[in-house]
Amino acid sequence: MKYIYSFKEGNKDMRELLGGKGANLCEMTNLGLPVPRGFVVSTEACINYYKSDKIISKKVLNELDKAIANLEIETGKRFGDKLNPLLVSVRSGARISMPGMMDTILNLGLNDEIVRELSKTIDERFVYDCYRRFISMYSDVVMNFDKDEFERILDEFKSERHIKLDIELTTDDLKKLVFLFKAKYHTLAGTPFPNEPKEQLKEAIMAVFRSWNNERAKYYRKMNNIPDDWGTAVNIQEMVYGNLNNNSGTGVLFSRNPATGENKLYGEYLMNAQGEDIVAGTRTPKSIENLEKEIPNIYKDLYSIAKKLEKYYKDMQDMEFTIESGKLYILQTRNGKRTGKAAIKIAIDMIKEKTITKEEAISRITSNDIEGMLHPTFNSDDLKNKTKIASGIAASPGAGSGKVYFNAEDVIKAYDEGERDIILVRLETSAEDIEGMNKSKAVVTVRGGMTSHAAVVARTMGTPCVSGCEILKIDEKNKVILYENGLVKEGDYISVDGTNGNVYLGKVPTSSENTSSEFEEFMKYVSEFSKIQVRANADNEKDAKKALSLGATGIGLCRTEHMFFEEERIFNFRKMILASKVEERKEVLDKILPYQIEDFIKLFEVMNGLPVTIRLLDPPLHEFLPKDENEIYKLALDLNISKQSIKSRIEELKEFNPMMGHRGVRLGITFPEIVQMQAKAIFKAKEEVESKGIKTHLEIMVPLVGTEKELTYIKDIINNTYKEISNTKEHNYKIGTMIEVPRAALISDSLAKDAEFISFGTNDLTQMTYGFSRDDAGKFLDDYYDKGIMDFNPFETLDIKGVGSLIKDAILKAKKVNKNIEIGICGEQGADEDSINFLSKIGIDYVSCSPYRIPVAKLACAKATIDK
Amino acid sequence: MKYIYSFKEGNKDMRELLGGKGANLCEMTNLGLPVPRGFVVSTEACINYYKSDKIISKKVLNELDKAIANLEIETGKRFGDKLNPLLVSVRSGARISMPGMMDTILNLGLNDEIVRELSKTIDERFVYDCYRRFISMYSDVVMNFDKDEFERILDEFKSERHIKLDIELTTDDLKKLVFLFKAKYHTLAGTPFPNEPKEQLKEAIMAVFRSWNNERAKYYRKMNNIPDDWGTAVNIQEMVYGNLNNNSGTGVLFSRNPATGENKLYGEYLMNAQGEDIVAGTRTPKSIENLEKEIPNIYKDLYSIAKKLEKYYKDMQDMEFTIESGKLYILQTRNGKRTGKAAIKIAIDMIKEKTITKEEAISRITSNDIEGMLHPTFNSDDLKNKTKIASGIAASPGAGSGKVYFNAEDVIKAYDEGERDIILVRLETSAEDIEGMNKSKAVVTVRGGMTSHAAVVARTMGTPCVSGCEILKIDEKNKVILYENGLVKEGDYISVDGTNGNVYLGKVPTSSENTSSEFEEFMKYVSEFSKIQVRANADNEKDAKKALSLGATGIGLCRTEHMFFEEERIFNFRKMILASKVEERKEVLDKILPYQIEDFIKLFEVMNGLPVTIRLLDPPLHEFLPKDENEIYKLALDLNISKQSIKSRIEELKEFNPMMGHRGVRLGITFPEIVQMQAKAIFKAKEEVESKGIKTHLEIMVPLVGTEKELTYIKDIINNTYKEISNTKEHNYKIGTMIEVPRAALISDSLAKDAEFISFGTNDLTQMTYGFSRDDAGKFLDDYYDKGIMDFNPFETLDIKGVGSLIKDAILKAKKVNKNIEIGICGEQGADEDSINFLSKIGIDYVSCSPYRIPVAKLACAKATIDK
């Protein structure tokens, strides 16, 4: 095995071995671009380093010697040569770019002697400035000394000298600083600063290897689902200096505008500066358009290089360049990051330019790009001075800013008084909060994860939501949030970014939704490729319309319980729960019936012949009962029974593990009259709309089934209800089952005898297969990610090995018995790309997700088709 | 298909088709015993009846006509013949005896005309008595009229006539009663009482079919796991009369003593009486020994018939006989029910008599027989006048009587004051109640099922327990139980039968344990056949010793958490939970360490080389924290922190679904220092006992694993701890995993790479596969049984179709990767016969159950071997 490759030996397809940056440097070199010369230490060397207990192997060291020798020949410079020294940069580069996560060392190869000699031919101040930077970088990266130790020396020195900016330091100052830095190094290390460039390089390479496993890199990988065992490559490259003189400079360049996608060079540069000066913000960089006037030939070169690279990589490029004494060097190029809007515009433009195909365009657009188009966002500049008070789970995308309220009642009151900038903050939400959530710009909860009540409902509404902010303490009584360093009172502004999970103090402006003509065009292409149907989770007219407008092909999950929460209904529903006799219960159900009919009529009308999948009542009854003393009192008055009897009913309904308790089909077995009422409402609605000439495609879905007889029992009730109220004998609806408990998957062949369709409820199935309560797992899963025990969240991405294999086998078994059975998925993973890719291969017909995720799901389905 | 069989056409092997009683009547007929002639309508006819919407098919009716014609020829009597009428009994008879559950009609074939004619030749009073009995039976069974309607007529009539006993009714009285009964029938039915015997018979047969599905029969089947679709046969048999004259009589007879097993006829009889007179208790029957003196030749015949039948059926027989005018008839024989003690004595005796083999003996003994030997019981006579206040779940077998206390503290106080008759009654128990449970004669809880805390702990202790008495309301504050008609205060006596789940008011004496020399002998035979190891769930020296004495081959589950509940330990354990820093936690763990070492030393010493399987800490931490205000106050004082901070920690640890929350291996991932402490304690203990020359066979078990990395993470901690403290490099212990979450079963091949053994935790696996919280499912499962949706309790008997298939596939996969992997089961189903039979076929090596269930489990294992 070979561990080190010169830039001439690699190419862009060697990303796995050489990292993204390394592969690109090789490619550019071979394209004849002006790239500073160098070589790459491969990711295999890094993996090898970790396997050998963090020792760099002899084989790698031997190759390193040779690579240095070659580089010396190429450049005509030599390591340690006083007159013509080779100076290099040492940079990390993983398969996938992890910007800023790992370490870099510049100016490596300097020592006292070389510095003294160089000063004779180059600006002395410049040389010593490089040297002091090198010493502090080396101390930080290689030796892991506290940066502050060196910063403090610099600060004290400047304050003694009464100067503010580094630029004001004289050559003598820098010489003294070098002396002080080296002394500090000696104190901390116990040995003098290394003089030998090869030794410096070896240590630097190992330091970069180690930086693969620093905390921020591990966190970044966790957040981006990058495996821990990939390792990083290390790029060693001849130094070029943008700060050598006024004829030198440095800049960054995008081949198109990364914010809007406009096809025009975009970037900035500084003359007589190093890359870090642009980042530091002490000097204001100039727009790249200026360069055209300032140094037209360089601009022309840059332009043609940018276009060449773009054609070559078939994507918008993000480049770094340096001009050293009038000569242009390209330091790096990579596919540029961009906003969702830009991504889509660029993709559409490139299709038109015939640079890429539709398939390529679709493969390249990410779900984040789409999300960015559909939801308001914060501008990162506006966040610069904001205090982040929590970082929770990004439960529903989009950004919102507003005044804090602590319960739905207060939200509604504020809303009624005209307030629109409202953020609802709660320990956790429950069904009673729905109206308040709907009137809020964003929702924050302390507890719960991706599939908590708040998260699920917020996504359906398109309301931004951050859940699981365990770091916040909420005092609901006094209406105060306690964060680490202070408190937020009712009415104070906070800003919530549901796309990344951050919560900030104060007000931040949001962009509005970004859909554009390019977005429409792009989604048209997506629809062409999407072979799997994408249905929506929608419970009402509004959601159904939204879903249709975003391209839904039907409703895959209508949660009927959501229909019970309006004031008049919940009263009757509660009355039903409290009823002690069947007759009493039936009486109240009769009152609820007309509402349900109305609900279903509206859904059928909106969907006009597209599938409408209605799930029977699912959640445990106690979710419907009032929780606070006042509400209980009101209900007791209304019902004319004692508060105590309501309380004891609430107590009776309490469960140890409600997720595995009396819910789903189990309610239908205990209270068949509820199923009867729901079936009646569905069929009456169907009859009504059909009499107006509107078509219906009805599927009734039984939740939480685990045994065959549960399904047949409910099926009989539904069919008998149909017989009772229908004029025709024709049976033009389907009855199907959800598969949410593992047992249902295990006996799918038995269920398939009676079910006309199966819908996998992957949220519950994941919960029960792992034995992870989704409301509680947040507390320990962080440790799982930190310790590398899990590298993905199974509530976001389907666990293919476990839950996936269960689903796969269940589909196989079910199709053996009933080959035409329709197979769907409804669950949070129904819009996830990897999950859909897997599911498309095992034969599902549709996915169902919340309306705002439809475009993302369609994209994933199109990608799955292309992948096949 | 043939639906009706004459007694000559059937035999004892046709039990499925003809029912137990019918098959035996055929067999006895063919053995030449004096059986009243008749025929059997098969179970198939019953199934057919239900399938045809409760209509009796033409085919069956045709066969019925022929069967009647044949019976008329055989008996020389004719249906409806005035001079020589055929009168028959109509009796149910399922495959398995369901005594008293279904209906019977006697004297069928009578009508006004026949009665008038018969009265001329036979005692007129007798004839009218038969007739009025027939009319009321027919009204009850066929027409389903309220029995009281006829009872009331009789009572009013007797009260008018100032008589008390039926026997005092004159012939004229009976004639008038017949008139009144028939009039009442006419009023209720709207038609006159049917005169036509064939019509009577057809209706009676259908009525018996229907009685298969009456409430008590359905309940009996549910309790005895008898499938609902078997149906019942109907036996039609010539009437014989024990009450015809003083030369007639009737009786019941066991071929051996059903209480003790003694080999001597046992039974009772009454002259001039019908079977129901013996049951009614108005006349006191005589012991069968009397018959020897009273009618020696009949006794001799009975004796030889009993012995003949016993030889023939190879089992103790329970017979009914009638003497009609000096002629003996055998009405029925069946294998007799017996106490556990008798069952074992009879089996042992029959082996010695060479009537049966050891295999047959083992197959015949039930787990109930064994349970009856191991636990105190109530004598049914002592319960006759007791008020039953609840019927809950028979959670831990045995009977106990004592004074009610409502919390562990009060129990301990009473115990310390010398009270020994103590019953602990609680809403539900938790870890803090263990000492109180141990000091109680029995435990009753309002909530929870077979695998609730109370149930599991009580079974381990051998303490009788009834759980899930939802009908009782407990007012813990005022220390009162409210039952339907009254209340029980602290200190009042109640009696608890954990074998059948009943709770009675007042004091009832209990028999002590019944183990006998025959029991010891029987268990020796069982051990010979048991191929699967039977290990015990035992956490301490006492349980381990008990387990050994009952034949355990090791410890299959030592729940280390039980070791933390003693006062000193729980204090430190709580301190550990409340610790906010790792160092603090480690410090407290160091204090717990010596106790754990001591615990393990004792276990190793007792088991002396037999397997000891130690499970790492499993339950959610909040189970260890105090619940009541006082305890919290005490802890706060002890720890010198605020009550509020303890409360908020308790609040923090609260979970929505603790069963799927932060427990098992998840604790070990979050707090590796706990695993370190436990591993250290285990290895130190091992070293210590080995230094004394005692052998150890150690298996360390990681609970609730769902991913491979969880197991390897913990395994590394254990192995590293071993390396740190062990002198030898030799690694003579095993590390294995539990499989409790479905995902673990699905990825068993991955786990088998790292696990040296697998133990299926079937309680949790059942919970999560069904999505049934065992603490909550009781609330809805009753409806499931009532509606026939489930016909067994998956927490008692393994769900072979679902959970079983998951286990089977998991074992196959695991063995593919690691063919020597040891496979065990620990869970309540580990002592269940059907479950063990299944498990033995899919390759398990051991089961583990609570000490008192070891003999039952061994029996099941022996049966599984014999079944193979």
Side-chain angles (χ1 to χ4, degrees), chain A residues 69-113:
Chain A
N70 282 337
L71 186 58
E72 286 174 337
I73 292 167
E74 279 185 69
T75 56
K77 299 173 179 173
R78 288 184 58 112
F79 252 169
D81 189 306
K82 281 173 276 181
L83 298 173
N84 196 15
L86 174 63
L87 303 181
V88 297
S89 64
V90 181
R91 286 187 171 92
S92 64
R95 284 196 213 178
I96 288 181
S97 168
M98 292 166 56
M101 292 303 126
M102 290 181 291
D103 292 325
T104 293
I105 297 180
L106 303 176
N107 302 319
L108 187 141
L110 288 175
N111 60 29
D112 288 358
E113 215 178 346

Side-chain angles (χ1 to χ4, degrees), chain A residues 428 652 656-657 659-660 666 669-670 710 743 750 769 771 773 776 779 783-784 787 799 801, chain B residues 428 652 656-657 659-660 666 669-670 710 743 750 769-771 773 776 779 783-784 787 799 801:
Chain A
E428 60 207 306
E652 256 178 72
F656 292 96
N657 299 287
M659 199 58 79
M660 304 196 288
R666 300 163 194 175
I669 306 284
T670 324
E710 285 171 322
R743 193 176 191 275
S750 301
T769 302
S773 159
D776 303 308
K779 283 186 191 172
D783 282 318
Y784 272 58
K787 297 186 176 178
D799 159 42
K801 194 171 173 191
Chain B
E428 60 207 305
E652 256 178 70
F656 292 96
N657 301 286
M659 199 59 79
M660 305 196 287
R666 301 163 195 176
I669 306 283
T670 324
E710 286 171 323
R743 192 176 191 277
S750 301
T769 303
Y770 271 97
S773 158
D776 303 307
K779 284 187 190 169
D783 281 318
Y784 272 58
K787 297 186 175 177
D799 158 42
K801 194 171 173 191

Side-chain angles (χ1 to χ4, degrees), chain A residues 588-603:
Chain A
V588 195
L589 284 167
D590 281 344
K591 290 191 187 146
I592 298 173
L593 178 67
Y595 295 113
Q596 282 258 290
I597 296 176
E598 210 42 53
D599 292 328
F600 294 135
I601 286 178
K602 284 182 195 150
L603 284 186

Side-chain angles (χ1 to χ4, degrees), chain B residues 229-242:
Chain B
D229 58 6
W230 278 3
T232 181
V234 186
N235 301 291
I236 288 92
Q237 195 172 18
E238 167 190 19
M239 287 294 298
V240 291
Y241 293 96

Side-chain angles (χ1 to χ4, degrees), chain A residues 626-638:
Chain A
K627 276 165 195 76
D628 75 49
E629 202 66 18
N630 261 340
E631 290 256 0
I632 292 172
Y633 181 68
K634 246 176 69 187
L635 187 62
L637 270 185
D638 282 346

